[in-house]
Short mmCIF file of all heavy atoms in Angstrom, two decimals:
data_model
loop_
_atom_site.label_atom_id
_atom_site.label_comp_id
_atom_site.label_asym_id
_atom_site.label_seq_id
_atom_site.Cartn_x
_atom_site.Cartn_y
_atom_site.Cartn_z
N GLU A 147 89.78 139.51 147.91
CA GLU A 147 90.05 138.28 147.18
C GLU A 147 88.91 137.27 147.35
O GLU A 147 88.54 136.57 146.39
CB GLU A 147 91.37 137.66 147.64
CG GLU A 147 92.61 138.51 147.38
CD GLU A 147 92.98 138.59 145.91
OE1 GLU A 147 92.30 137.96 145.08
OE2 GLU A 147 93.94 139.31 145.59
N THR A 148 88.35 137.18 148.54
CA THR A 148 87.26 136.24 148.77
C THR A 148 86.03 136.64 147.96
O THR A 148 85.32 135.78 147.43
CB THR A 148 86.93 136.16 150.27
OG1 THR A 148 88.11 135.81 151.00
CG2 THR A 148 85.85 135.13 150.54
N ASN A 149 85.82 137.93 147.84
CA ASN A 149 84.69 138.40 147.05
C ASN A 149 84.85 138.06 145.57
O ASN A 149 83.97 137.45 144.96
CB ASN A 149 84.52 139.91 147.22
CG ASN A 149 83.48 140.46 146.28
OD1 ASN A 149 82.31 140.15 146.35
ND2 ASN A 149 83.91 141.29 145.33
N ILE A 150 85.98 138.45 144.99
CA ILE A 150 86.10 138.29 143.53
C ILE A 150 86.33 136.83 143.14
O ILE A 150 85.87 136.40 142.07
CB ILE A 150 87.22 139.18 142.95
CG1 ILE A 150 88.60 138.78 143.47
CG2 ILE A 150 86.94 140.65 143.24
CD1 ILE A 150 89.75 139.50 142.78
N ARG A 151 87.00 136.06 143.98
CA ARG A 151 87.32 134.68 143.60
C ARG A 151 86.26 133.68 144.05
O ARG A 151 85.82 132.84 143.26
CB ARG A 151 88.68 134.27 144.17
CG ARG A 151 89.85 135.11 143.70
CD ARG A 151 91.14 134.34 143.86
NE ARG A 151 92.29 135.22 144.02
CZ ARG A 151 93.55 134.80 144.02
NH1 ARG A 151 93.81 133.51 143.90
NH2 ARG A 151 94.55 135.65 144.18
N VAL A 152 85.87 133.75 145.32
CA VAL A 152 84.98 132.73 145.87
C VAL A 152 83.51 133.11 145.67
O VAL A 152 82.73 132.35 145.08
CB VAL A 152 85.28 132.47 147.35
CG1 VAL A 152 84.43 131.32 147.87
CG2 VAL A 152 86.76 132.16 147.54
N LEU A 153 83.12 134.30 146.15
CA LEU A 153 81.74 134.73 145.94
C LEU A 153 81.46 134.84 144.44
O LEU A 153 80.43 134.35 143.94
CB LEU A 153 81.49 136.06 146.63
CG LEU A 153 80.05 136.60 146.54
CD1 LEU A 153 79.07 135.61 147.14
CD2 LEU A 153 79.95 137.96 147.24
N GLY A 154 82.38 135.45 143.70
CA GLY A 154 82.21 135.54 142.26
C GLY A 154 82.19 134.19 141.59
O GLY A 154 81.43 133.96 140.65
N GLY A 155 83.03 133.27 142.06
CA GLY A 155 83.07 131.92 141.49
C GLY A 155 81.78 131.17 141.71
O GLY A 155 81.27 130.47 140.82
N LEU A 156 81.22 131.30 142.92
CA LEU A 156 79.94 130.63 143.22
C LEU A 156 78.81 131.23 142.39
O LEU A 156 77.95 130.49 141.87
CB LEU A 156 79.63 130.76 144.71
CG LEU A 156 80.55 129.99 145.67
CD1 LEU A 156 80.28 130.38 147.12
CD2 LEU A 156 80.40 128.48 145.48
N LEU A 157 78.79 132.55 142.25
CA LEU A 157 77.74 133.20 141.46
C LEU A 157 77.87 132.89 139.98
O LEU A 157 76.88 132.66 139.28
CB LEU A 157 77.77 134.72 141.68
CG LEU A 157 77.37 135.19 143.08
CD1 LEU A 157 77.63 136.68 143.23
CD2 LEU A 157 75.91 134.86 143.37
N GLY A 158 79.13 132.86 139.48
CA GLY A 158 79.34 132.48 138.09
C GLY A 158 78.93 131.05 137.84
O GLY A 158 78.31 130.72 136.82
N GLY A 159 79.25 130.16 138.78
CA GLY A 159 78.85 128.76 138.66
C GLY A 159 77.33 128.63 138.68
O GLY A 159 76.75 127.87 137.90
N HIS A 160 76.69 129.39 139.57
CA HIS A 160 75.22 129.35 139.64
C HIS A 160 74.60 129.87 138.34
O HIS A 160 73.64 129.28 137.82
CB HIS A 160 74.74 130.20 140.82
CG HIS A 160 73.26 130.42 140.83
ND1 HIS A 160 72.35 129.42 141.10
CD2 HIS A 160 72.53 131.56 140.61
CE1 HIS A 160 71.12 129.91 141.04
NE2 HIS A 160 71.20 131.21 140.73
N SER A 161 75.16 130.95 137.80
CA SER A 161 74.62 131.54 136.57
C SER A 161 74.60 130.52 135.43
O SER A 161 73.62 130.41 134.69
CB SER A 161 75.44 132.77 136.16
OG SER A 161 75.40 133.76 137.16
N LEU A 162 75.69 129.79 135.31
CA LEU A 162 75.78 128.84 134.20
C LEU A 162 75.08 127.52 134.54
O LEU A 162 74.66 126.79 133.64
CB LEU A 162 77.24 128.61 133.83
CG LEU A 162 77.96 129.87 133.31
CD1 LEU A 162 79.34 129.53 132.77
CD2 LEU A 162 77.14 130.57 132.24
N ALA A 163 74.95 127.22 135.82
CA ALA A 163 74.20 126.01 136.20
C ALA A 163 72.73 126.15 135.83
O ALA A 163 72.12 125.21 135.29
CB ALA A 163 74.35 125.75 137.71
N ILE A 164 72.14 127.31 136.10
CA ILE A 164 70.73 127.49 135.76
C ILE A 164 70.55 127.59 134.24
O ILE A 164 69.51 127.18 133.71
CB ILE A 164 70.12 128.72 136.47
CG1 ILE A 164 70.87 129.99 136.11
CG2 ILE A 164 70.13 128.51 137.98
CD1 ILE A 164 70.27 131.25 136.75
N MET A 165 71.56 128.10 133.54
CA MET A 165 71.51 128.12 132.08
C MET A 165 71.49 126.72 131.53
O MET A 165 70.69 126.37 130.65
CB MET A 165 72.69 128.92 131.53
CG MET A 165 72.79 129.00 130.02
SD MET A 165 73.67 127.59 129.25
CE MET A 165 75.31 127.78 129.96
N LEU A 166 72.39 125.87 132.04
CA LEU A 166 72.44 124.48 131.57
C LEU A 166 71.16 123.72 131.93
O LEU A 166 70.67 122.90 131.14
CB LEU A 166 73.66 123.78 132.18
CG LEU A 166 75.03 124.22 131.65
CD1 LEU A 166 76.15 123.57 132.47
CD2 LEU A 166 75.19 123.87 130.18
N LYS A 167 70.61 124.00 133.11
CA LYS A 167 69.37 123.33 133.52
C LYS A 167 68.23 123.70 132.57
O LYS A 167 67.41 122.85 132.21
CB LYS A 167 69.03 123.72 134.95
CG LYS A 167 67.81 122.98 135.51
CD LYS A 167 67.58 123.34 136.96
CE LYS A 167 66.37 122.57 137.52
NZ LYS A 167 66.13 122.89 138.95
#
Side-chain angles (χ1 to χ4, degrees):
E147 297 289 358
T148 304
N149 172 64
I150 64 172
R151 300 202 206 188
V152 185
L153 183 58
L156 292 171
L157 292 172
H160 170 70
S161 300
L162 297 188
I164 58 178
M165 179 273 298
L166 289 173
K167 185 176 181 180

